[in-house]
DNA sequence: AATGAAATCCGACGCGA
DNA sequence: TCGCGTCGGATTTCATT
């Protein structure tokens, strides 16, 4: 596939992405109105963004609290050398695990989990704890989540980023 | 609003949520076909899910790597007693910050950040570090993300969850 | 700009807790 | 009875050529 060398998103692409990240169900008509472009032109750009994989899909955002799972926690696992829990598919057995990340550092795995209650969370932690040392951080509140992805270039300059927008490779 | 007492999602609701989390752009026709319900009935359920806030919105899922931001990290901040960085809106100044969570424990804030490169990430960490002690975990890979929310009840039983599906209101 | 398809809205009927 | 799903048809809106 063309994993490398994305076709360089321009300003219009980013405007489209911003709109679609805020509301994936916009019609091409409405979208074209906001972007100030013709409908077919917008449709063609969206098609290209989908095909190149920049737009990976469209998902309904479900509010966990409203769906009976108000509790959230981050769990870092420090695994025995060889077997790392979740080595492969162990995460499939736990619907409560919403994210799995492999980390650098001594705690090799970062989980984000959801639970219906403190009791539920307690049971979950107990089960996961069997696989190795762990560190748990219960989330009290979430000021920001699902922040849309925005372009990283241009006006705001991060010290050290002198032309390195090309991701490496 | 009715933050409390969600109308109890039934199996059909969860099937709808599963489908819409996988593809938010399904037509009601297609959706009704998969759920084995009539289109108007499905539309009515979806409308109710939206109104009750269970469905918070619909978002295009943008692949960060394809959009020029392949790097990701978790950053825990340990803040000075009074001012906690991001006390309010400081996160708005950093588009790289995609999530902000308040934690229990000694490190009061958990950030998830995206960056275009290691150099970019380095600069970002340097800037955030001015606000207090921090602990950074660079993500090497992400086996699971955006796992859809699923019902927590029933067949799989977590020790300690004996009827406590009700979230504690 | 025009065509064909699909969604939304409406009222009425049947079924089951 | 009341809630919920189904059916049929009219109108608007969208996607595509």
């Amino acid at each position: 596939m063309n994993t490398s060398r994305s076709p360089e998103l321009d300003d219009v692409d980013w405007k489209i992405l911003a709109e679609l990240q805020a509301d994936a169900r916009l019609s091409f008509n409405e979208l074209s109105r906001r972007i100030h472009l013709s409908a077919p032109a917008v449709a063609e750009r969206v098609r290209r963004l989908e095909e190149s994989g920049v737009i990976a899909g469209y998902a309904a955002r479900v509010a966990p609290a409203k769906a009976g799972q108000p509790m959230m926690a981050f769990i870092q696992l420090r695994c025995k050398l060889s077997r790392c829990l979740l080595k492969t598919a162990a995460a499939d057995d736990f619907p409560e695990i919403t994210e799995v990340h492999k980390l650098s550092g001594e705690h090799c795995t970062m989980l984000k989990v959801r639970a219906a209650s403190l009791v539920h969370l307690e049971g979950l932690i107990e089960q996961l704890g069997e696989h190795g040392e762990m560190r748990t951080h219960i989330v009290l509140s979430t000021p920001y989540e699902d922040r849309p992805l925005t372009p990283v270039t241009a006006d705001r300059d991060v010290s050290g980023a002198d032309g390195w927008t090309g991701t490496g490779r």
Side-chain angles (χ1 to χ4, degrees), chain A:
Chain A
M1 332 290 176
N2 55 352
T3 67
S4 57
R5 190 180 49 263
S6 33
E8 272 306 306
L9 308 179
D10 62 16
D11 299 340
V12 179
D13 288 323
W14 278 112
K15 287 186 66 174
I16 291 176
L17 289 179
E19 294 291 344
L20 286 182
Q21 285 181 95
D23 183 359
R25 297 197 124 181
L26 286 177
S27 67
F28 291 128
N29 275 344
E30 180 60 26
L31 195 51
S32 69
R33 241 166 270 143
R34 304 189 185 185
I35 306 294
H36 302 297
L37 232 63
S38 77
V42 168
E44 178 58 18
R45 278 180 181 263
V46 171
R47 193 196 60 76
R48 211 169 299 171
L49 288 170
E50 291 170 346
E51 196 174 23
S52 66
V54 174
I55 294 181
Y58 303 90
R61 296 190 298 105
V62 175
K66 298 291 182 68
Q69 301 181 40
M71 306 293 303
M72 173 173 163
F74 289 95
I75 300 179
Q76 288 177 265
L77 294 176
R78 179 177 201 163
C79 308
K80 318 293 185 186
L81 294 92
S82 55
R83 231 183 10 163
C84 211
L85 170 62
L86 318 176
K87 185 62 177 181
T88 48
D92 293 330
D93 300 336
F94 294 90
E96 293 92 345
I97 298 179
T98 60
E99 295 183 20
V100 179
H101 305 277
K102 288 298 186 180
L103 297 186
S104 69
E106 44 184 333
H107 290 82
C108 61
T109 304
M110 172 81 79
L111 306 179
K112 185 195 280 187
V113 303
R114 300 259 179 204
S117 63
L118 265 181
V119 177
H120 181 192
L121 185 59
E122 179 186 357
L124 179 64
I125 291 173
E126 195 170 321
Q127 287 193 26
L128 291 175
E130 296 172 359
H131 296 82
E133 232 179 287
M134 59 191 289
R135 186 181 294 172
T136 303
H137 306 277
I138 295 182
V139 173
L140 302 176
S141 66
T142 298
Y144 291 99
E145 194 169 14
D146 290 325
R147 184 90 79 89
L149 210 65
T150 58
V152 71
T153 60
D155 51 2
R156 216 179 52 77
D157 112 276
V158 176
S159 66
D162 41 6
W164 257 72
T165 63
T167 93
R169 104 95 65 274

